[in-house]
Amino acid sequence: MSDDLPSETFPELMQQLRAGSQDAARRIFEQYGEFIYRAVRRRLNRELRSKFDSQDFVQSVWASFFLNIDQVRTFNDPDDFIRYLARMAANKVIDESRRRFGVGRNVNRELRLVDPVNDDKPIYISNAPTPSEELIAKEQWQTLTDDQTPREKAVFEMRAEQSTFAEIARRLKISPSTARRIVERRLRRSSNG
């Protein structure tokens, strides 16, 4: 691809660049900038051309390259380097297209999950707790109901079954405020220590 720079001087040029040579940076910029420009022009669609100049992407590629110069791998030859820069340029154009036009958020591409045996019956994700959630809940329940009187345990069990304080009061022959106080007192105690 690149015939302007002899292949045997390329590794030396890259080494000088990594050492911080401004002259090497200028030579690389001059030598390989056109390849980035061509890669951008190939990828830049009409909608993005109205918003960006090709040089915006070229500058972005160079900024990324020079910002991460220590992390750049060793290139075997100029062609390897040109492919790297062209891929970086293409990725920058693609990323901007996705940001601008929302590619990847197309709800028409969503697939419905169906039962493999019965194709017309959709599969729904369960709201049931996972085994670890069940274990955690069981441990918390044990902590909550340890050393309780039979009446306190009955209040908690009925609340766990979604009974209202009025229903608990009626079944245990206590007032609704007493049932509420039992729960609140125990919850305060468990949260404090």
Side-chain angles (χ1 to χ4, degrees):
M1 279 185 185
S2 172
D3 296 326
D4 299 338
L5 189 64
S7 202
E8 62 273 1
T9 64
F10 179 77
E12 294 168 6
L13 183 62
M14 292 304 285
Q15 190 169 355
Q16 292 171 10
L17 179 67
R18 279 191 286 281
S21 167
Q22 293 296 317
D23 183 52
R26 182 190 50 74
R27 287 175 49 204
I28 284 177
F29 180 81
E30 290 171 357
Q31 182 72 29
Y32 298 102
E34 184 63 30
F35 295 103
I36 298 172
Y37 181 78
R38 281 191 229 151
V40 168
R41 294 296 292 173
R42 255 192 316 270
R43 289 284 185 168
L44 204 57
N45 62 33
R46 186 175 37 229
E47 291 85 9
L48 278 181
R49 284 184 185 169
S50 67
K51 307 279 185 216
F52 295 97
D53 184 56
S54 299
Q55 286 301 321
D56 295 332
F57 292 101
V58 172
Q59 288 175 5
S60 180
V61 169
W62 282 125
S64 295
F65 175 75
F66 286 116
L67 185 65
N68 298 309
I69 196 71
D70 294 334
Q71 297 174 8
V72 173
R73 64 185 174 85
T74 304
F75 298 100
N76 298 325
D77 56 39
D79 293 339
D80 192 25
F81 182 58
I82 290 167
R83 282 190 293 275
Y84 172 81
L85 293 174
R87 173 64 17 219
M88 189 187 300
N91 287 341
K92 290 199 178 281
V93 173
I94 290 167
D95 288 346
E96 188 58 38
S97 293
R98 287 178 179 158
R99 264 193 296 281
R100 286 283 174 160
F101 305 117
V103 175
R105 296 184 205 134
N106 187 349
V107 293
N108 296 326
R109 294 189 311 180
E110 293 179 359
L111 300 176
R112 188 177 82 151
L113 295 175
V114 292
D115 186 341
V117 175
N118 190 2
D119 281 345
D120 62 338
K121 185 177 180 182
I123 297 175
Y124 297 102
I125 297 173
S126 173
N127 289 332
T130 64
S132 61
E133 290 172 331
E134 285 185 17
L135 184 62
I136 291 169
K138 192 179 276 188
E139 288 174 355
Q140 288 175 337
W141 179 259
Q142 278 300 116
T143 304
L144 215 53
T145 58
D146 280 350
D147 71 317
Q148 283 188 340
T149 65
R151 183 173 73 171
E152 289 172 333
K153 278 188 182 186
V155 169
F156 269 89
E157 287 171 0
M158 285 187 246
R159 279 302 283 170
E161 294 169 357
Q162 310 271 324
S163 298
T164 65
F165 287 116
E167 293 168 339
I168 294 170
R170 195 171 35 259
R171 285 175 56 192
L172 294 179
K173 297 183 180 19
I174 59 174
S175 74
S177 60
T178 300
R180 180 175 281 115
R181 268 196 311 274
I182 289 171
V183 171
E184 289 171 354
R185 185 175 42 230
R186 189 56 169 182
L187 290 174
R188 263 195 314 274
R189 237 186 298 158
S190 69
S191 67
N192 290 336

